Amino acid sequence: MSWLPKSPKARRRLWVVAAVTPILALAVGLSLWAMQDSVTFFYSPSEATADKAPEGRNIRLGGLVEAGSVHKSGDGVVIFAVTDNAATTRVVYHGDLPDLFREGQGIVAQGAFTADRTFHASQVLAKHDENYMPREVADRLKEKGEWRPDGAPSQGEIRQGASSL
């Protein structure tokens, strides 16, 4: 075998590497396969298409609770709409909502879409004070130019203030 090294030490190292490599590759592959269900992606309503967020896949959906969309039934089911001002998604949640949940509020709901593209949430998180919005939601709304925190000046106000200095 001319491709093997002539030195016995080098041959031994080659055999050790050849034996450890498949075991290591198998361990990494099994670890990644086991973690595939624990990865939860975040989408805004306009990004949550059937291709990106297929039926039954556990995701996080974030946006603002649409005004006039909250409907509570007697059996603890709450139906509301989440919007990013570009698209709206209907959300069904069974359970107690956070105390700070209200219309116009930024929320993140974790759950999955059904065949009719209704989002069934297993958990709903609401912002905890008037200065907080989930970073992903704020980033997506800022990208579209649809959201700015209360009291923050617009770009025109910033330019006008800078020119008066």
Side-chain angles (χ1 to χ4, degrees), residues 5 8 13 23 33 38 41 49-50 58 69 72 76 87 90 97 103 115 121 131 149 162:
R13 276 189 230 131
I23 293 169
W33 181 72
S38 66
F41 293 99
T49 61
N58 198 30
S69 69
K72 297 179 182 180
R90 184 173 176 244
L97 289 168
E103 296 173 355
N131 298 323

Side-chain angles (χ1 to χ4, degrees), residues 23-149:
I23 293 169
L24 185 61
L26 180 66
V28 168
L30 287 174
S31 297
L32 291 174
W33 181 72
M35 290 188 301
Q36 72 183 0
D37 289 337
S38 66
V39 175
T40 305
F41 293 99
F42 176 86
Y43 296 101
S44 66
S46 59
E47 296 172 334
T49 61
D51 295 336
K52 290 184 180 177
E55 170 187 342
R57 183 175 185 185
N58 198 30
I59 67 164
R60 288 187 179 135
L61 179 72
L64 302 172
V65 178
E66 193 170 53
S69 69
V70 179
H71 302 286
K72 297 179 182 180
S73 65
D75 60 350
V77 175
V78 181
I79 300 171
F80 58 94
V82 174
T83 185
D84 61 358
N85 295 328
T88 301
T89 301
R90 184 173 176 244
V91 178
V92 177
Y93 177 68
H94 188 274
D96 294 328
L97 289 168
D99 291 337
L100 297 173
F101 179 90
R102 65 181 175 274
E103 296 173 355
Q105 188 84 7
I107 63 121
V108 174
Q110 184 167 333
F113 281 100
T114 57
D116 65 351
R117 299 306 291 168
T118 299
F119 189 78
H120 283 263
S122 58
Q123 183 180 26
V124 175
L125 305 170
K127 69 181 189 176
H128 64 279
D129 67 14
E130 71 257 4
N131 298 323
Y132 176 76
M133 163 124 1
R135 188 183 74 224
E136 295 92 351
V137 174
D139 289 346
R140 301 274 161 70
L141 292 174
K142 285 175 187 176
E143 283 174 12
K144 297 175 191 228
E146 297 289 335
W147 178 83
R148 62 185 172 93

